[in-house]
Amino acid sequence: MKKLLNTLLFFILASLSFHTIEAQRRNTSTKTTQTREVVDEENYHSILSFGLTTNTNSGLLGGLMARKEIVIDNNALHRQFHYFNLEIVNVNHPKENTISFLGNGSSYVDGKQNYLFAIRPQYGREINLFHKSSDGGVNINGIIAGGPTIGVVKPYYVQVFYGRGNIRDEAYDPAKHNYNNIYGSGGFFEGLGNANLVPGVNLKAALNFELDAFRQSNISLEIGFLAEAYTKKVNIMATAENRSVFTSGYLTIFFGGKR
């Protein structure tokens, strides 16, 4: 969580500095040009964005998102949107611990038996809470969304050492594999044919900080909290208690355009 907050602070500070410069530049332009830019910025019907996300249940790169916002009422004091989102993220167990081998530079997650990838189609509502001025600034929107989750559970493979020149990729088995015979983690795509699906549901609440400085562009940060429940415990770790409910804080940076 500390890393997530530090990353958010960096983006916000960088954005505010950028918008200060942009506001000064706009103030030097003519009144006619300013008026035309404001009209163009406000007269749009939808925003399509793609994002990279990190969360407290993943590494630095947690997954990918695609988001579509459709304006409900362009003339409302607090503009509202239909919010459609699709995300594909990696979900780690909180007890995961990576072990590195200094001799060969490889590493593996001790006790990890399966990967969990969450595919989350979501629908919700987004409402503008704070509107930026014509000279620039930041739009702040509130978001509530949820939907089904498709959990993809894929076996975790390790490289097993059977003697000089004999190294095999095998699905991790705590009864057979340990630090003494594991050489490193196996190929990421190993075991795709043995993946299983676990259904679930998810719900999230978030704030969206729209940082774009150009008329038809959209650069934004979405920071929020997500809760997710599966129909059964997901077997991620062989050496720790597994769970069916996951919670996480997340940060996503989006890039897109208005139409």
Side-chain angles (χ1 to χ4, degrees):
M1 179 61 77
K2 183 177 180 181
K3 179 176 66 177
L4 187 67
L5 293 176
N6 287 338
T7 304
L8 173 64
L9 181 61
F10 171 79
F11 279 117
I12 290 176
L13 290 176
S15 172
L16 291 177
S17 298
F18 179 77
H19 280 285
T20 299
I21 297 173
E22 180 64 15
Q24 292 174 349
R25 183 190 66 79
R26 290 186 179 187
N27 286 333
T28 61
S29 63
T30 66
K31 184 176 180 180
T32 301
T33 302
Q34 286 180 339
T35 302
R36 183 166 59 251
E37 287 186 358
V38 173
V39 172
D40 289 343
E41 285 180 0
E42 296 304 318
N43 188 26
Y44 64 90
H45 302 286
S46 66
I47 304 173
L48 178 62
S49 308
F50 299 91
L52 301 175
T53 186
T54 183
N55 64 76
T56 52
N57 288 335
S58 73
L60 182 59
L61 178 59
L64 305 173
M65 292 193 187
R67 183 181 71 184
K68 178 81 170 182
E69 299 152 282
I70 300 176
V71 177
I72 296 174
D73 185 354
N74 234 335
N75 298 315
L77 179 62
H78 295 284
R79 180 179 294 173
Q80 294 189 38
F81 304 83
H82 294 291
Y83 177 93
F84 299 91
N85 189 60
L86 175 65
E87 52 191 66
I88 303 174
V89 301
N90 176 41
V91 181
N92 291 336
H93 193 283
K95 296 293 185 181
E96 290 190 17
N97 178 42
T98 300
I99 294 178
S100 300
F101 298 98
L102 297 178
N104 58 28
S106 298
S107 63
Y108 78 102
V109 181
D110 187 34
K112 188 178 181 75
Q113 198 159 20
N114 291 290
Y115 286 104
L116 171 59
F117 300 101
I119 303 174
R120 304 175 183 137
Q122 296 170 332
Y123 170 76
R125 288 296 182 93
E126 181 175 356
I127 184 170
N128 180 249
L129 303 177
F130 178 81
H131 190 73
K132 68 180 180 180
S133 70
S134 60
D135 291 330
V138 179
N139 274 334
I140 302 177
N141 297 342
I143 299 167
I144 293 289
T149 296
I150 302 171
V152 181
V153 182
K154 186 190 83 68
Y156 179 71
Y157 273 67
V158 291
Q159 292 181 317
V160 184
F161 183 73
Y162 285 98
R164 187 172 181 180
N166 187 7
I167 299 174
R168 307 174 197 169
D169 281 7
E170 298 180 359
Y172 176 77
D173 183 344
K176 296 168 51 179
H177 306 137
N178 55 59
Y179 181 81
N180 295 319
N181 60 13
I182 293 177
Y183 189 77
S185 60
F188 178 78
F189 296 102
E190 293 278 0
L192 276 178
N194 298 320
N196 297 311
L197 302 182
V198 181
V201 294
N202 67 82
L203 179 67
K204 74 177 183 181
L207 290 176
N208 181 53
F209 298 85
E210 187 180 319
L211 310 175
D212 57 313
F214 304 101
R215 289 183 295 175
Q216 300 301 324
S217 71
N218 181 265
I219 303 172
S220 65
L221 293 174
E222 183 177 303
I223 180 171
F225 175 83
L226 181 138
E228 185 166 61
Y230 292 91
T231 55
K232 64 178 182 179
K233 288 185 177 181
V234 182
N235 184 25
I236 298 177
M237 298 291 291
T239 56
E241 178 68 23
N242 290 293
R243 58 177 69 177
S244 60
V245 176
F246 296 83
T247 59
S248 63
Y250 72 91
L251 169 67
T252 306
I253 181 168
F254 284 100
F255 301 90
K258 300 175 182 178
R259 297 186 63 183

